[in-house]
Amino acid sequence: MTMDFGDVLWSMLVFFFWFMFIWMFIAVFADVFRRKDLSGWGKAGWIAFVVILPFLGALVYLIARPKPTEDELRSMGMMGSRAPEAAVHSTADEIERLSKLHDDGKIDDAEYATLKRRAMGLTA
């Protein structure tokens, strides 16, 4: 059996579409099972629809699927996590900032001592 360039090209094209077809199923199934807004019957219905009519089922699912929530986007890594400002800075950074404010005269000794103790977690 000899294969010419057209046969190789056709084989690659068929392999690509089979791979895409399998990947589409995996993506739709994973998304259906990951969703929290669907009941068990809803998930079963979507899976049955995609298995019975694969291309139409996947296309209808992509059209009917609601927009992802912020939690879903964050879990997919498409959205930066919004960490609170206090979690971004370390205790040393906070004390350094307070020291600079104290040296500039923007806060007095009592405020500096209180804020420093709070930054170190000694008082709430």
Side-chain angles (χ1 to χ4, degrees), residues 25 28-29 32-33 40-58 61:
F25 273 117
V28 169
F29 289 165
V32 166
F33 287 117
W41 285 106
K43 291 178 183 182
W46 276 114
I47 295 300
F49 187 41
V50 170
V51 167
I52 293 170
L53 297 170
F55 288 113
L56 183 63
Y61 177 77

Side-chain angles (χ1 to χ4, degrees), residues 13-123:
L13 191 64
V14 168
F15 175 77
F16 170 75
F17 279 106
W18 271 110
F19 185 78
M20 186 175 65
F21 182 72
I22 292 169
W23 190 264
M24 178 183 65
F25 273 117
I26 292 170
V28 169
F29 289 165
D31 193 59
V32 166
F33 287 117
R34 187 182 313 125
R35 285 181 53 185
K36 296 177 183 171
D37 61 335
L38 278 178
S39 67
W41 285 106
K43 291 178 183 182
W46 276 114
I47 295 300
F49 187 41
V50 170
V51 167
I52 293 170
L53 297 170
F55 288 113
L56 183 63
L59 185 62
V60 170
Y61 177 77
L62 291 174
I63 293 170
R65 185 190 190 290
K67 291 183 179 181
T69 63
E70 284 188 24
D71 291 336
E72 290 173 335
L73 290 173
R74 193 173 294 118
S75 70
M76 290 186 288
M78 301 177 112
M79 181 179 200
S81 64
R82 294 181 183 161
E85 194 65 31
V88 174
H89 300 293
S90 69
T91 304
D93 292 336
E94 185 68 19
I95 292 173
E96 181 182 353
R97 186 181 66 82
L98 290 172
S99 177
K100 194 178 281 187
L101 287 172
H102 182 257
D103 293 343
D104 292 344
K106 295 186 179 180
I107 58 175
D108 61 6
D109 293 336
E111 287 177 313
Y112 175 72
T114 304
L115 293 172
K116 183 178 173 183
R117 287 173 49 96
R118 188 176 298 158
M120 291 176 17
L122 299 176
T123 56

